[in-house]
Amino acid sequence: MVSISLFILGALISTVISQECVPYTSSYDFTGYPEIWEKPNSTLFNSAEFKQINSTIDWSKVPKVTPHTLSSSGDIDQTGYSSSDPDCWWSYNLCTTPKAHGLQPDATICPEPGAWGLTYDDGPNCSHTVFYDFLKENNQKATLFYIGSNVAQLPNEAQRGLADGHHICVHTWSHQYMTTLTNDEALAELYYARKAIKYVMGITPLCWRPPFGDVDDRIRAIATQLNMSTIIWDLDTNDWNEAPDGTETSAQVDTTFQGFVNMGLNGTYNNSGTIVLEHELDNNTMSKAIEWYPKIKAAYKYLVPIASCLNITQPYAEANFTYPSFAEYISNG
Ligand SMILES: *[C@@H]1O[C@H](CO)[C@@H](O)[C@H](O)[C@H]1NC(C)=O
Ligand SMILES: *[C@@H]1O[C@H](CO)[C@@H](O)[C@H](O)[C@H]1NC(C)=O
Ligand SMILES: *[C@@H]1O[C@H](CO)[C@@H](O)[C@H](O)[C@H]1NC(C)=O
Ligand SMILES: *[C@@H]1O[C@H](CO)[C@@H](O)[C@H](O)[C@H]1NC(C)=O
Ligand SMILES: *[C@@H]1O[C@H](CO)[C@@H](O)[C@H](O)[C@H]1NC(C)=O
Ligand SMILES: *[C@@H]1O[C@H](CO)[C@@H](O)[C@H](O)[C@H]1NC(C)=O
Ligand SMILES: *[C@@H]1O[C@H](CO)[C@@H](O)[C@H](O)[C@H]1NC(C)=O
Ligand SMILES: *[C@@H]1O[C@H](CO)[C@@H](O)[C@H](O)[C@H]1NC(C)=O
Ligand SMILES: *[C@@H]1O[C@H](CO)[C@@H](O)[C@H](O)[C@H]1NC(C)=O
């Protein structure tokens, strides 16, 4: 158990955001990790630990793709990329079936008709108490894609996600566009995020989601060698893009959610299900998640975490953690 001050314990059980979000210190020691929210750099690459990890990767199985660059606006520059999409680059045309040998397709849907795969990216967030309480009251599990830097800064919040029975996947160390990274950087983003999760939570997730969906066969091949399968999505709520941080109004985000509810009602998902992207990013996104949950539940047959929708009953390397299969999950809900 982490030693934390009583004051902090008070903050943790608070549902007042300003109190929840008071920074705290834990006894976890992140020496040897990348800087919080920073891209791993050469100091780290020269460490004995990284060299050892690097030596376990068979780089001959990783396609030789030159990293992309960011444009001045902060998006990926796609200039000059071949329209034949040789690298199965999701950011280019949403490709999810790899072209390189030996790579599994990304998961993009829950196969079961009427199933809505519930996923929240970017946690753990300091202000998630109300949201996690809500999921718990509804006996609802979700797949949570945790950012390593957030896990390091908020270990107690991360532990709650696992303790509540959610399915935890990796969302990299510092949320970069992965295809813009060198091989060393990409490996470190995945490796240290998962190491932080193992250190704080005791589990080794076998799944990850690329920030911004930005993945290609080079990055998939690195993740594959770390035994991490790639999970994308099929519907994007754009909840992260609400003003003031984003460009959409609250009403626009509602319109998107309403469209997805309509799809559940009008038969769009009669033959297979969906995986939906939402965020544990801030009060806006978590409030939207809570507000729309009852309407989604009424419009879809099943709301399921990804492990269950794919029948993955051992989602971590630690075989003693088991999760319900699809049939078990729905018979319990
Ligand atoms: C590189 O990362 C290390 C931690 O791995 C950090 O201490 C150092 O400040 C970073 N250097 C630069 C130039 O960012
Ligand atoms: C990782 O291994 C590759 C292939 O052996 C090598 O080219 C690269 O320089 C190594 N990276 C580091 C930081 O040692
Ligand atoms: C991947 O899984 C295999 C089989 O369980 C195991 O031997 C190997 O050590 C794992 N690799 C990593 C990097 O976790
Ligand atoms: C279902 O609703 C969605 C969103 O409003 C719409 O795009 C789609 O065309 C509708 N499908 C059918 C079969 O009505
Ligand atoms: C979807 O399934 C429902 C319930 O079985 C049915 O009423 C509806 O007609 C179906 N819609 C489509 C577009 O297949
Ligand atoms: C967590 O949520 C709070 C409150 O909504 C927000 O101010 C903060 O930026 C979020 N933290 C992170 C790391 O996203
Ligand atoms: C969080 O969002 C909800 C819903 O929009 C709002 O009612 C509440 O005031 C917000 N809380 C804070 C502290 O901003
Ligand atoms: C999950 O298992 C059930 C029962 O065996 C099966 O009907 C269903 O097709 C499986 N789903 C997936 C995605 O494997
Ligand atoms: C699984 O085993 C590990 C290591 O022995 C232990 O720390 C953990 O509590 C166990 N977890 C469960 C869910 O049994």
Side-chain angles (χ1 to χ4, degrees):
M1 192 54 201
V2 198
S3 59
I4 46 175
S5 74
L6 285 176
F7 171 71
I8 295 309
L9 269 178
L12 280 173
I13 56 172
S14 169
T15 54
V16 178
I17 291 174
S18 58
Q19 286 172 28
E20 283 179 90
C21 290
V22 173
Y24 62 90
T25 49
S26 78
S27 60
Y28 291 100
D29 179 1
F30 288 96
T31 307
Y33 284 73
E35 291 292 299
I36 301 287
W37 283 103
E38 293 292 332
K39 201 156 77 167
N41 68 27
S42 58
T43 307
L44 191 88
F45 304 145
N46 287 327
S47 70
E49 178 181 9
F50 184 82
K51 286 189 186 301
Q52 196 276 323
I53 297 309
N54 191 41
S55 74
T56 66
I57 304 294
D58 180 352
W59 288 105
S60 73
K61 290 187 182 154
V62 176
K64 291 182 182 28
V65 175
T66 306
H68 298 288
T69 52
L70 289 177
S71 66
S72 50
S73 61
D75 296 328
I76 296 196
D77 187 355
Q78 300 192 356
T79 315
Y81 185 64
S82 166
S83 61
S84 69
D85 188 21
D87 310 326
C88 185
W89 184 19
W90 188 89
S91 304
Y92 181 69
N93 70 353
L94 310 183
C95 180
T96 54
T97 304
K99 294 177 177 167
H101 181 69
L103 300 176
Q104 295 297 316
D106 306 338
T108 56
I109 61 159
C110 284
E112 200 72 30
W116 169 295
L118 207 56
T119 73
Y120 299 100
D121 286 13
D122 297 353
N125 178 280
C126 53
S127 71
H128 72 193
T129 305
V130 168
F131 176 52
Y132 280 23
D133 286 353
F134 176 85
L135 292 174
K136 198 170 189 175
E137 281 155 18
N138 284 278
N139 193 23
Q140 178 66 57
K141 312 288 190 267
T143 296
L144 307 178
F145 292 88
Y146 276 176
I147 295 175
S149 292
N150 282 348
V151 171
Q153 286 194 306
L154 300 164
N156 295 281
E157 285 78 352
Q159 286 166 345
R160 177 168 180 192
L162 182 69
D164 281 5
H166 297 301
H167 170 219
I168 310 295
C169 296
V170 172
H171 198 41
T172 75
W173 176 260
S174 67
H175 208 273
Q176 311 285 336
Y177 283 94
M178 290 292 279
T179 72
T180 68
L181 304 186
T182 64
N183 285 349
D184 290 336
E185 289 166 346
L187 173 59
E189 280 282 339
L190 291 170
Y191 171 77
Y192 287 100
R194 187 161 70 173
K195 185 182 176 192
I197 289 173
K198 171 71 178 170
Y199 181 32
V200 167
M201 303 162 73
I203 52 163
T204 306
L206 301 176
C207 46
W208 81 295
R209 174 175 276 169
F212 317 100
D214 184 44
V215 68
D216 64 8
D217 283 351
R218 176 174 68 99
I219 302 299
R220 288 186 187 94
I222 296 171
T224 298
Q225 292 208 39
L226 295 174
N227 296 336
M228 280 194 249
S229 66
T230 305
I231 299 177
I232 304 279
W233 58 83
D234 150 60
L235 296 178
D236 181 353
T237 61
N238 269 328
D239 58 348
W240 57 273
N241 196 23
E242 186 175 329
D245 298 330
T247 61
E248 290 192 11
T249 62
S250 173
Q252 282 173 303
V253 176
D254 285 337
T255 301
T256 304
F257 269 102
Q258 186 62 59
F260 297 168
V261 165
N262 293 348
M263 291 163 107
L265 296 170
N266 75 11
T268 302
Y269 290 105
N270 272 15
N271 299 320
S272 68
T274 175
I275 291 177
V276 186
L277 174 60
E278 296 178 64
H279 289 81
E280 180 188 337
L281 181 62
D282 55 26
N283 183 49
N284 275 353
T285 63
M286 289 186 270
S287 296
K288 285 281 181 246
I290 291 173
E291 180 189 335
W292 282 93
Y293 179 83
K295 298 173 206 173
I296 295 164
K297 194 155 177 144
Y300 286 78
K301 255 165 118 172
Y302 316 111
L303 266 62
V304 282
I306 305 310
S308 296
C309 94
L310 298 178
N311 285 332
I312 297 170
T313 54
Q314 287 186 359
Y316 311 129
E318 295 74 18
N320 61 344
F321 279 87
T322 56
Y323 276 61
S325 66
F326 183 79
E328 286 164 348
Y329 187 83
I330 62 170
S331 70
N332 225 340

